[in-house]
Amino acid sequence: MTQHHALPLVDISKLDSPRLEDRLSVARELDRACVEAGFLYIAGAQMDDALFRRIVARAQAYFALDADTKMKSYIGLSENHSGYVPVGEEQFAAGQRDLKEAFDVNCDYVRSEGRRPLLGPNLWPEMPGFREDVQAYYRHVTGIGGQLFRAFALALGLDEDHFQAHLRNPPSQLRLIHYPFDATAEDRQGIGAHTDYECFTLLFATAPGLQIIDRQGQWIDVPLVEGTMIMNIGDMMEILSNGRYAATRHRVKKVREERYSFALFHACDYDYVVAPVVRGEEPRYAALKGGEHLFNQTAQTFAYLKRRIASGELVLEGALPLDSFGPASSAAEPMQPSSTQQALSEQ
């Protein structure tokens, strides 16, 4: 593990190795980086630079379309929370709008059986080549994520394939995000600050702007490092690790420069019960249903889902506040599993 600025860098190339000791060495570095920072850079021979360049070109062409054309794929029209996200659709706090637009895709489940919120057919624009290149990028980064799940299992003292049975139909989402050029941009600390809901995120970006809160409570910049992706711990991995890894609050500050980013949020299956998996430790977190948590948090952020909640069409059960995880949260309290939580762990 090396250090770049304030964040560690882990080379994951040896996760492809047939030798367990090689994979364990990466797992140890990953563990140390996640304990120390929760945000890190990853590099590796697995990464396809040509595919990364292609996804940027596709995003540039798509977001250059006129608003009416993009709104034909508006996310509120989809079955599985996929499609175009216009500027202002997302809101992490009252009165604060994130000045970005996005296109969200999931795994594109076309089967009707086992349907859950967030699982279903994607809403695609009528743009030749867009679907094919976006799906290729999704498969590529999901494959890297699968290797990282195995590394996390080793890091937490579990069987290497512990998570594999729970990665069959995950609601893992890819976001293509565009921050338009804004000559008048003026930043304010804290706008859009949040933790990610899933296990971990892999991010590729074309320009700086990302910031995190460090362990001293200060906002620090996360500069781009060529040949790497940025990785961060999410809510669910904080729970799984019993607080060993903390979800790190982050944001994108308002910058004048145009910026594209591609974030793939890696989750376990929708019905997987997320609970501490570290052996020999008293659970510090209540168990929660992963997909339900993900949908609840999403519904508290997106305008079209908020409208459904306000009208009574959508009712959320057991939704946690958006700031429930990370170093400043109060979610990690010593606890004994209740009868409900015990039932969850047995499902």
Side-chain angles (χ1 to χ4, degrees):
M1 183 177 73
T2 56
Q3 200 78 16
H4 276 260
H5 303 279
L7 300 181
L9 187 154
V10 175
D11 188 327
I12 64 169
S13 298
K14 288 184 179 179
L15 290 181
D16 270 339
S17 171
R19 296 181 66 247
L20 176 59
E21 184 51 44
D22 288 340
R23 302 194 300 276
L24 277 169
S25 69
V26 177
R28 286 190 287 267
E29 290 193 14
L30 179 67
D31 177 72
R32 189 159 71 251
C34 291
V35 168
E36 291 175 359
F39 249 80
L40 59 145
Y41 301 100
I42 61 167
Q46 295 93 328
M47 296 181 190
D48 185 341
D49 292 338
L51 187 55
F52 285 24
R53 291 193 296 270
R54 207 155 76 231
I55 195 72
V56 172
R58 286 296 180 197
Q60 289 171 332
Y62 175 76
F63 289 117
L65 297 173
D66 64 86
D68 289 344
T69 300
K70 289 183 286 191
M71 284 298 288
K72 290 178 181 177
S73 302
Y74 173 55
I75 196 166
L77 303 174
S78 70
E79 295 181 33
N80 71 334
H81 189 68
S82 67
Y84 177 63
V85 182
V87 171
E89 175 72 20
E90 290 178 86
Q91 195 174 86
F92 288 101
Q96 297 180 359
R97 292 177 9 144
D98 270 11
L99 299 180
K100 66 175 184 291
E101 57 181 342
F103 194 92
D104 292 356
V105 300
N106 296 293
C107 193
D108 209 13
Y109 298 106
V110 295
R111 302 186 309 276
S112 58
E113 67 269 19
R115 186 62 55 81
R116 300 283 191 278
L118 309 176
L119 301 180
N122 284 328
L123 185 61
W124 294 102
E126 296 180 4
M127 186 177 189
F130 182 87
R131 178 175 183 169
E132 292 74 14
D133 281 348
V134 171
Q135 286 183 318
Y137 184 86
Y138 186 103
R139 288 192 298 270
H140 177 62
V141 181
T142 298
I144 295 172
Q147 292 186 335
L148 287 165
F149 267 114
R150 297 177 72 88
F152 273 118
L154 291 173
L156 294 173
L158 307 170
D159 293 336
E160 189 174 11
D161 61 355
H162 176 86
F163 292 109
Q164 300 314 298
H166 310 297
L167 297 173
R168 294 193 176 102
N169 299 296
S172 299
Q173 185 181 67
L174 169 64
R175 309 204 72 199
L176 287 67
I177 306 173
H178 176 222
Y179 296 84
F181 172 77
D182 183 0
T184 63
E186 293 184 4
D187 191 52
R188 283 189 294 142
Q189 293 283 30
I191 293 290
H194 64 285
T195 61
D196 291 341
Y197 315 137
E198 298 83 353
C199 294
F200 58 88
T201 305
L202 295 180
L203 174 76
F204 166 60
T206 64
L210 182 64
Q211 290 187 319
I212 66 169
I213 292 182
D214 66 14
R215 296 301 163 90
Q216 287 71 48
Q218 301 297 314
W219 284 106
I220 61 170
D221 291 325
V222 180
L224 299 185
V225 176
E226 188 174 355
T228 72
M229 298 186 81
I230 296 167
M231 177 180 176
N232 65 275
I233 295 298
D235 298 352
M236 295 182 191
M237 188 58 74
E238 180 175 328
I239 297 172
L240 289 165
S241 70
N242 206 26
R244 179 173 178 81
Y245 313 139
T248 303
R249 195 168 301 280
H250 56 282
R251 71 177 197 122
V252 174
K253 65 181 180 181
K254 294 180 184 178
V255 293
R256 292 179 172 84
E257 186 175 0
E258 185 175 34
R259 181 178 186 268
Y260 295 88
S261 67
F262 307 87
L264 209 160
F265 304 92
H266 296 260
C268 293
D269 290 340
Y270 192 93
D271 292 323
Y272 176 67
V273 176
V274 180
V277 294
V278 182
R279 297 179 179 128
E281 291 186 5
E282 180 183 358
R284 300 175 58 221
Y285 296 78
L288 55 78
K289 290 185 176 179
E292 185 179 89
H293 171 66
L294 178 54
F295 182 71
N296 285 347
Q297 302 302 84
T298 301
Q300 294 180 75
T301 305
F302 280 76
Y304 85 94
L305 291 169
K306 288 181 177 182
R307 289 193 292 270
R308 293 179 187 176
I309 294 170
S311 71
E313 176 188 352
L314 176 62
V315 177
L316 303 183
E317 295 185 7
L320 298 174
L322 292 176
D323 59 352
S324 293
F325 294 89
S329 76
S330 58
E333 297 293 344
M335 51 156 287
Q336 293 296 330
S338 67
S339 57
T340 302
Q341 290 150 7
Q342 183 63 37
L344 282 176
S345 3
E346 292 170 354
Q347 291 181 5

